[in-house]
Amino acid sequence: MSVIVGELAALLGCALTGTYILWSALERIVLVATNQPLTPFFRYSSLGAALVLLPVFTALRKKHHYLNGTRLNNGCQLAAVYPHRDPVLGIDFLRNSVKALKEYRLLELWDAVLAAHKGTCWYNALGRWMLLTSEPDNIKAILSTHFDDWPMKSLRQQVSVLTLGPHAIFSVNGPEWHHARAMIRPSFLRNQIADLECTDRHVDNFLARLPRDGGRFDVDRLLYHFTMDVSTDFMFGYSTSLLTSPTEEALEFMTAFDYILTTSTNRARLGWLVLLRPDRQFDEYVKTTQRFVDHHVSQALAQEKEKERPYIFMNEIIKSGASHREVRDQLFSLILGGRDTSASTMASLFYVLARKPDVLRKLREEISQLDGRKPTWEELKNLKYLNMVLKETLRLYAPVASNMRTAERDTILPRGGGPDGQSPLFVPKGTDCRYSTYTLHRRKDLWGPDADDFRPERWETHRPGWEYIPFSGGPRICIGQQFALTQMLYLIARVLQTFKDIQPGNDEPMRHQVGSTLSMVGGCWIRLTPVEAD
Ligand code: HEM
């Protein structure tokens, strides 16, 4: 009933404001053309007032469309609305979000909002109404069952275009995305992913950098160097060697890569306002990263470079017939997709291991089955407890902690409507929907009362569905999932074979900065005791 009343009121509002705007415009046109007013009520028309009423008219039209869609689509009900103090622009929510972001508790803020609104609600972001959800059924609809309704647009796409280029797999949708995915897929299907030789070389370099004297150090930075070295080696057959002897070119690339990654999210948040805030450094660094990738692509295309390994991702992509530009954008996507996500996950894991002696002890017991041998790929997969520990890390500290999609057309989400949030929800075309993986992975109704605790043992019985999406799900599921898991399992196993104890290097609480991936504030400081120190 309230939907019908609201719909009628919105329709009436639309009719009144629309008529006034149209009439004022006509009055002005007729006056200019004939020097005569159109009606005797001319003096009540005003172009200024019409301009002010235009956004009101647009808002009422959208509201009418939402209410009408809700009424006409069987079972749909209205979703909760965040109780804005400023419902026009939502400045209050923006201010809270910026404050929370600065205090490293943005994810907790969204968590509280979702808890207060039964898992789904509307909020106003500078005049644009957006959905926030942590409902597994909604996430499944967005990523899988209604995949075509929900392309990757808006902020996330803008970030990708800015940093990776227009052809990058993260920047495109529809046929272009199918094409990009098909181009990359063969690189990941090969059993070379299970070939640990390349990873092993970089793990050796990583282990060599770890202090053996029990001194505290920041493992976070070394992990980012490790993932960059290993990614570039797999992609180009040339490693940045940041852990050993980086070239000038590699250091320049790393500096540029870090800068554009940290600033791109903020730049994309500005939308078109970005034109008013040019950042020369950003543009320069984008060129630096492109030059770096270009250089290696050109070498491969000219086949000047002797193959150091039989299998290099770049050569596989080139074989697909892709243009130089496409190869560059995809390779850069793969480096971006792989470097920070894996490093962030492993940093969180080290932080936890330094504070969970029980987990560490169990892990070391399991690893001791290898009798000090380096694990093979099959052995890695059989280290059950290690696999559970990694799953639990990806649950609590999923590096891609939230994500967003945009409704391409009017569509329906299965949950979020009605007072209990369990009815279907009509979603108008153009709506941005943000989903919080952070909240989803910590929901007590889905994970039990100990959802906030790090408890790898839960994975003995838990068979996850859409309540667990560290690698996303559906057709756009992370293409590098197996590659990433193998690298991480291998590195952790080798560290535990080399060091018998991990201790915290400071008393700092774990805090994460939210960018395109999570990064640990202040790094991850630990102390290690080598096995031979008995
Ligand atoms: C812990 C490690 C990783 C995590 C948690 C992770 C997570 C994710 C997530 C959540 C997505 C979906 C993004 C979206 O739809 O907006 C994604 C996509 C993707 N990831 Fe990963 N990722 C990891 C490692 C890697 C690695 C190592 C690579 C490459 C070597 C990689 C390459 C990609 C690519 C290319 C996509 C885009 C797929 C598409 O759009 O079709 N990822 N990843």
Side-chain angles (χ1 to χ4, degrees):
M1 186 64 188
S2 64
V3 175
I4 298 179
V5 173
E7 192 187 336
L8 285 175
L11 189 64
L12 187 66
C14 273
L16 290 175
T17 49
T19 308
Y20 184 81
I21 293 166
L22 197 65
W23 170 61
S24 296
L26 282 175
E27 284 287 5
R28 182 52 56 104
I29 292 167
V30 171
L31 187 68
V32 170
T34 66
N35 224 9
Q36 291 288 320
L38 178 68
T39 67
F41 310 107
F42 165 75
R43 66 174 190 283
Y44 297 110
S45 72
S46 151
L47 267 194
L51 277 179
V52 171
L53 280 178
L54 201 58
V56 178
F57 170 75
T58 310
L60 284 168
R61 202 170 51 84
K62 283 188 179 162
K63 180 153 193 185
H64 174 258
H65 182 59
Y66 170 53
L67 294 169
N68 182 255
T70 303
R71 181 171 60 80
L72 294 182
N73 285 285
N74 258 349
C76 282
Q77 292 200 44
L78 302 179
V81 180
Y82 178 81
H84 282 284
R85 263 193 265 164
D86 163 21
V88 178
L89 288 175
I91 299 288
D92 53 334
F93 189 76
L94 180 73
R95 198 178 294 130
N96 288 346
S97 301
V98 171
K99 188 165 180 286
L101 185 70
K102 283 189 185 151
E103 293 167 358
Y104 313 118
R105 44 170 199 86
L106 181 64
L107 298 168
E108 287 85 345
L109 173 79
W110 290 343
D111 199 39
V113 170
L114 285 163
H117 296 93
K118 311 271 185 250
T120 305
C121 73
W122 290 101
Y123 69 100
N124 188 334
L126 288 178
R128 192 176 162 87
W129 284 95
M130 295 180 45
L131 275 173
L132 181 65
T133 190
S134 61
E135 279 298 332
D137 288 349
N138 286 350
I139 295 170
K140 179 180 172 186
I142 291 170
L143 295 177
S144 177
T145 48
H146 289 71
F147 177 73
D148 289 336
D149 290 355
W150 292 97
M152 191 188 284
K153 291 219 168 146
S154 144
L155 183 70
R156 209 169 168 92
Q157 192 192 31
Q158 287 158 28
V159 173
S160 298
V161 174
L162 276 175
T163 48
L164 304 172
H167 301 296
I169 188 165
F170 288 107
S171 308
V172 289
N173 291 292
E176 257 201 285
W177 166 76
H178 279 287
H179 175 67
R181 183 109 184 169
M183 194 188 300
I184 292 177
R185 194 181 296 115
S187 311
F188 287 94
L189 290 181
R190 302 293 164 92
N191 51 9
Q192 271 81 356
I193 293 208
D195 173 7
L196 294 172
E197 209 185 298
C198 175
T199 308
D200 179 60
R201 229 185 5 262
H202 296 288
V203 169
D204 278 346
N205 295 339
F206 177 78
L207 291 175
R209 292 286 303 271
L210 303 181
R212 260 98 176 138
D213 60 358
R216 68 182 209 112
F217 71 101
D218 179 14
V219 72
D220 191 55
R221 201 67 207 146
L222 293 179
L223 287 167
Y224 279 77
H225 286 180
F226 165 76
T227 50
M228 181 61 107
D229 282 355
V230 87
S231 292
T232 44
D233 206 349
F234 266 98
M235 302 306 145
F236 307 121
Y238 157 90
S239 172
T240 38
S241 302
L242 297 166
L243 288 171
T244 50
S245 48
T247 58
E248 202 54 38
E249 182 205 21
L251 287 173
E252 207 188 30
F253 174 65
M254 177 79 174
T255 311
F257 189 85
D258 277 344
Y259 185 88
I260 59 175
L261 222 66
T262 41
T263 47
S264 56
T265 309
N266 287 338
R267 287 185 68 69
R269 276 186 187 127
L270 290 175
W272 61 268
L273 288 175
V274 82
L275 298 172
L276 304 178
R277 286 196 61 186
D279 179 347
R280 286 245 184 103
Q281 186 70 83
F282 183 88
D283 299 338
E284 209 37 61
Y285 277 156
V286 168
K287 284 191 200 131
T288 308
T289 52
Q290 288 174 349
R291 259 200 317 272
F292 178 85
V293 183
D294 270 342
H295 171 66
H296 294 285
V297 177
S298 301
Q299 271 193 339
L301 285 170
Q303 294 185 321
E304 288 164 9
K305 195 170 150 67
E306 289 241 322
K307 278 193 181 180
E308 284 143 27
R309 280 205 326 273
Y311 180 79
I312 293 165
F313 278 42
M314 176 170 58
N315 298 339
E316 298 300 309
I317 297 177
I318 288 171
K319 272 188 220 156
S320 75
S323 70
H324 182 121
R325 186 73 203 267
E326 282 177 323
V327 178
R328 183 182 78 192
D329 288 3
Q330 304 318 349
L331 282 173
F332 203 16
S333 303
L334 292 173
I335 296 175
L336 176 114
R339 189 195 76 152
D340 292 14
T341 44
S342 302
S344 163
T345 308
M346 289 189 284
S348 299
L349 177 52
F350 275 111
Y351 184 98
V352 171
L353 291 183
R355 285 153 183 88
K356 294 252 171 219
D358 279 5
V359 175
L360 186 62
R361 187 179 44 75
K362 279 192 183 178
L363 275 178
R364 293 213 62 238
E365 269 169 31
E366 187 178 64
I367 305 269
S368 70
Q369 295 164 14
L370 295 169
D371 290 329
R373 263 182 304 106
K374 290 177 180 179
T376 62
W377 188 75
E378 288 74 20
E379 282 170 333
L380 274 184
K381 296 287 155 189
N382 286 330
L383 292 170
K384 292 267 172 316
Y385 194 65
L386 178 58
N387 279 273
M388 294 196 300
V389 166
L390 193 52
K391 275 188 191 158
E392 187 69 344
T393 310
L394 284 162
R395 181 180 72 84
L396 282 177
Y397 312 110
V400 185
S402 88
N403 213 326
M404 204 197 262
R405 293 287 193 267
T406 305
E408 178 91 320
R409 54 184 74 94
D410 288 351
T411 185
I412 290 173
L413 285 176
R415 303 265 176 259
D420 61 357
Q422 291 306 300
S423 298
L425 168 66
F426 173 76
V427 183
K429 175 182 172 176
T431 301
D432 287 330
C433 181
R434 181 178 284 289
Y435 54 90
S436 169
T437 306
Y438 174 92
T439 295
L440 176 73
H441 284 183
R442 289 164 184 252
R443 274 179 51 163
K444 297 203 166 48
D445 56 332
L446 302 172
W447 294 94
D450 64 354
D452 289 333
D453 301 342
F454 188 92
R455 197 173 67 79
E457 288 72 16
R458 77 177 74 244
W459 292 98
E460 278 162 7
T461 49
H462 194 96
R463 296 286 164 267
W466 282 92
E467 74 277 17
Y468 184 66
I469 51 159
F471 293 100
S472 188
R476 276 194 107 135
I477 194 167
C478 174
I479 204 163
Q481 176 173 354
Q482 289 310 324
F483 178 80
L485 288 172
T486 305
Q487 272 181 23
M488 293 189 291
L489 289 168
Y490 190 76
L491 183 134
I492 302 293
R494 296 278 323 273
V495 168
L496 295 173
Q497 285 179 315
T498 316
F499 296 92
K500 63 180 176 190
D501 198 15
I502 308 177
Q503 291 286 329
N506 60 22
D507 299 330
E508 289 296 311
M510 191 197 252
R511 287 178 307 167
H512 282 113
Q513 176 80 268
V514 186
S516 47
T517 53
L518 291 188
S519 55
M520 219 179 273
V521 178
C524 176
W525 291 79
I526 56 168
R527 295 174 198 278
L528 295 171
T529 313
V531 168
E532 62 269 20
D534 279 323

